[in-house]
Structures are given as structure tokens and as C-alpha cells.
Amino acid sequence: MDVVLEVFDTFIFDRLYAVLLPASSITVMTNTVTHAATSTYSSMREVPTALNHASQFLQLKPSHFAYMSAWSRDNTWRQLLSLYLITWLFGALVYFIFASLSYFLVFDHATFTHPKYLKNQVRLEIAQTLKSLPVMAVLTVPFFFVEIKGYAKLYDAPAEAPFALYNILQFPFFILFTDFFVYWIHRGLHHPRMYKTFHKPHHKWIMPTPFASHAFHPVDGWAQSVPYHVFPFLFPLQKFAYIFLFITINIWTIAIHDGEYVSNSPIINGAACHTMHHLYFNYNYGQFTTLWDRLGGSYRPPNIELFSRESKMSKSEWERQAMEMEKVQKSVEGDDDRDYGAEMRKISKKVQ
């Protein structure tokens, strides 16, 4: 996260803090002396261009705003606030960009007529996400803060890896490690004592759209993200691989809610497997693979009808899904308090 913070400092936060929390002339002189490339007075007449960079591969030249705030870049409160804004607002931006692309380019809008599609569902999914993201950011920032203070095992140059091949192996290792713990956290959230309060808000969406991907209770969303944050404190991880993986995780989370069943893979826990989870609740808890579901006895292969557009959108398949879903939902939740909308039920009858 130190690389991301440096980018945001350079292009946004240096100017923002200089305007909102301007330094006195004495403070500016102190900051200039502290960060100057040399200790000679003549060199300090120019704004210094050298700061400690987060990576040798990204050398961003700071502007004069970098030295004009009462809160310097290494100020604790500034770092906490900056990390919070990045986690919240940049996270929201990634969500809206990729969920929108998936919604307009991938998601099958015929799903609107499914009998278990909710009234005003997209609006409700977005509203739930916008309520949750700021709280999830508060819970997440401590991980990022401790990380930029140097307590994580993040490394910069590939030569700093434990061994050369680790630069490649870190990717499948990260997937296997996080998939294992997300599986158990997710399964734990289905325990009756946890489900109603923390996980039911995400299961409100029986037929989710890509905008449901981040529509969690904030504690639920944060809890399932914990393995991703813990990994670099336990194992080495290259800094740019870390950024790539976090962006990829967010895109993957959107993809498994897009309702486009590309392949019936026995290994990958894709959109078809995750649709089984939303429809029938107690199956397919994994995030990336079916491995832990298979070992944990919770794997359910996707209905074969999902892999043909004609059959997956047929009235008979939808009715079969709805009938089974209602039985499972009754045992898990009791009375169904979702609003499917009378109009949607009327429209669904027209679909053959």
C-alpha cells in the first residue's frame, strides 16, 4: 500500500493537505531541511525533489506542495486519513467501474424477469454497498497502516524474494492460502448465530447482479477480506504483485456475481458455482476454487441447465429453482421478507 499511497500523495494529497492544512513558513523551512538532498544552505533555496520512494521502480517527483502542509507525508494522522480515503473512495471507484462494465456488457438482463429477482434490486444493491464501504474502510485501514510502517513482509525487487521461483509461486500460494481461510470464514458466517445479523444482507440477492458483489454488511465484507490482509504479514509478497492481486480480487468478486456461466469447471468456483450458493445457501462457500468445498462436504455442482441460455432462462427451470430455493430459505431464514414485486411476478409468467 505504500506504493499506492505515494502515487496518491504525489497527484492528489500533497496539494489537498497544503490547501486544507497549510504549514507556517517555519514549518515549510523545517520540512525543506528535513527532506533536502544535501545539507548546504544553497541547495535548500530550491524545493527538494528527493523523498523516500516506496519502490525503486516508481520514482515520482514530488511537487512543492509536498513540503507545504503542517501534516508532512509521514504524519500519522495524515497517513491514517489518506489510507481511509483511498480504501473507501478508490474502492468505490473500482466497484462502480468494473461492476458497471460487467452489468452492461456481460450480465444477462433477462434475469430481471426471474421470479426471485427483487423489486428495485440494482438500486438496493448499490445502496447497501455505499453504506458498507465507509465502515469496511475503517476496519481495513489498521492493516494498511501497520503495513506501510514496515511490519509486513512486502519486498520490492524480485531479487529480494526467498528464491527466484517464488516470484511466480507467490500467486498460486496466495490464492490457495486465502481461498482456504475465506472458505472457513464464509462458512462460519452461515452459522445461525452469525447469519441473520452479518451475512443475511448479502443473501438478500437470490439472483444477484454485478452490483451485489460488494453489497455486504460491513463486518461480513471485512471479515472475508481478512485473509488477504494477513497474508503479507506471514509470507513474502512483491509490492506490485500485492496491488495486482487486490485489484484482481475485486474484479473476481464482481465476476462471480455476473450470472454469465462461461464454463462448467470442476476446479474453479466461478459464477455458476456462486449462483448455486445464492440460490441454495449452504453450498459452495469457496472464493476461487472448489477444493475446500469438496474437502468440507459443501460442494454442489452447478445445474447443467445453467450452461445453455435457452434452458437457464426457461420458465420451467426458474420455477424449479424457486421451489427448491423456497424450501432451503425457509429452513435457513424462516419467513421470507424479500420484496420480489408483483410486477416482476407478472412479467416472469410471460417468459417461456
Side-chain angles (χ1 to χ4, degrees):
M1 185 55 74
D2 55 353
V3 173
V4 175
L5 183 59
E6 182 178 340
V7 171
F8 274 84
D9 275 336
T10 303
F11 294 105
I12 299 175
F13 291 141
D14 285 339
R15 176 187 283 268
L16 180 66
Y17 288 113
V19 172
L20 298 179
L21 294 167
S24 65
S25 58
I26 295 176
T27 304
V28 172
M29 175 65 77
T30 301
N31 287 341
T32 303
V33 171
T34 301
H35 297 289
T38 71
S39 59
T40 62
Y41 181 76
S42 59
S43 69
M44 288 185 277
R45 293 176 183 173
E46 301 294 331
V47 173
T49 59
L51 285 172
N52 292 325
H53 294 291
S55 171
Q56 62 181 293
F57 304 110
L58 189 67
Q59 303 287 316
L60 297 175
K61 181 180 178 180
S63 70
H64 63 285
F65 291 111
Y67 312 96
M68 295 179 63
S69 173
W71 282 7
S72 63
R73 283 190 178 185
D74 59 358
N75 178 278
T76 295
W77 295 112
R78 169 172 166 164
Q79 289 178 332
L80 287 169
L81 179 57
S82 298
L83 290 169
Y84 174 74
L85 293 174
I86 292 170
T87 306
W88 173 25
L89 299 178
F90 184 65
L93 181 64
V94 169
Y95 164 74
F96 275 112
I97 289 174
F98 289 102
S100 296
L101 288 172
S102 179
Y103 179 77
F104 289 109
L105 301 179
V106 179
F107 178 70
D108 194 332
H109 291 202
T111 304
F112 295 158
T113 58
H114 193 285
K116 294 302 178 182
Y117 185 85
L118 302 187
K119 181 180 180 181
N120 301 319
Q121 181 169 312
V122 169
R123 188 173 70 184
L124 293 171
E125 290 169 340
I126 293 174
Q128 177 66 45
T129 301
L130 292 180
K131 287 191 297 183
S132 296
L133 286 179
V135 182
M136 284 192 280
V138 170
L139 299 172
T140 302
V141 162
F143 287 110
F144 290 147
F145 181 71
V146 176
E147 174 211 306
I148 67 170
K149 291 301 183 182
Y151 293 98
K153 296 184 178 183
L154 294 168
Y155 65 92
D156 190 28
E160 298 171 22
F163 51 93
L165 190 58
Y166 187 83
N167 289 298
I168 297 173
L169 293 179
Q170 63 182 326
F171 294 99
F173 184 29
F174 179 90
I175 296 299
L176 288 172
F177 174 90
T178 57
D179 197 39
F180 172 78
F181 285 101
V182 170
Y183 170 82
W184 286 109
I185 291 169
H186 189 179
R187 187 164 183 168
L189 286 163
H190 276 259
H191 188 280
R193 293 183 180 179
M194 304 291 289
Y195 178 82
K196 185 175 181 180
T197 300
F198 297 114
H199 198 51
K200 185 179 177 181
H202 186 62
H203 271 275
K204 184 174 184 176
W205 331 113
I206 303 300
M207 294 301 297
T209 80
F211 291 107
S213 59
H214 293 65
F216 292 96
H217 184 288
V219 173
D220 178 6
W222 171 80
Q224 294 194 60
S225 75
V226 166
Y228 308 128
H229 301 296
V230 169
F231 183 92
F233 289 95
L234 299 177
F235 307 103
L237 188 63
Q238 203 277 332
K239 289 184 177 182
F240 289 96
Y242 172 76
I243 297 169
F244 169 79
L245 285 166
F246 265 86
I247 294 174
T248 301
I249 288 164
N250 279 276
I251 296 173
W252 178 259
T253 303
I254 291 167
I256 62 175
H257 291 87
D258 66 15
E260 187 61 31
Y261 315 123
V262 178
S263 64
N264 188 7
S265 171
I267 299 172
I268 299 173
N269 186 23
C273 282
H274 201 65
T275 292
M276 293 292 98
H277 179 71
H278 275 267
L279 274 170
Y280 309 126
F281 297 84
N282 297 323
Y283 306 94
N284 301 348
Y285 299 109
Q287 179 74 354
F288 303 112
T289 76
T290 63
L291 173 61
W292 309 116
D293 279 296
R294 290 176 182 276
L295 294 176
S298 55
Y299 175 66
R300 173 168 175 164
N303 297 345
I304 195 65
E305 290 82 4
L306 295 181
F307 299 97
S308 165
R309 190 179 189 281
E310 290 73 20
S311 59
K312 82 173 184 179
M313 291 296 174
S314 70
K315 180 180 178 181
S316 60
E317 173 64 11
W318 283 0
E319 288 178 345
R320 187 173 70 83
Q321 290 174 358
M323 288 178 63
E324 184 176 358
M325 170 265 164
E326 287 169 359
K327 292 178 182 178
V328 180
Q329 180 274 324
K330 185 73 172 179
S331 67
V332 172
E333 298 180 342
D335 293 337
D336 192 352
D337 57 2
R338 297 168 181 82
D339 181 4
Y340 299 104
E343 186 61 29
M344 286 300 175
R345 288 192 290 272
K346 291 178 183 178
I347 296 174
S348 68
K349 293 179 181 178
K350 300 178 183 178
V351 179
Q352 302 299 320

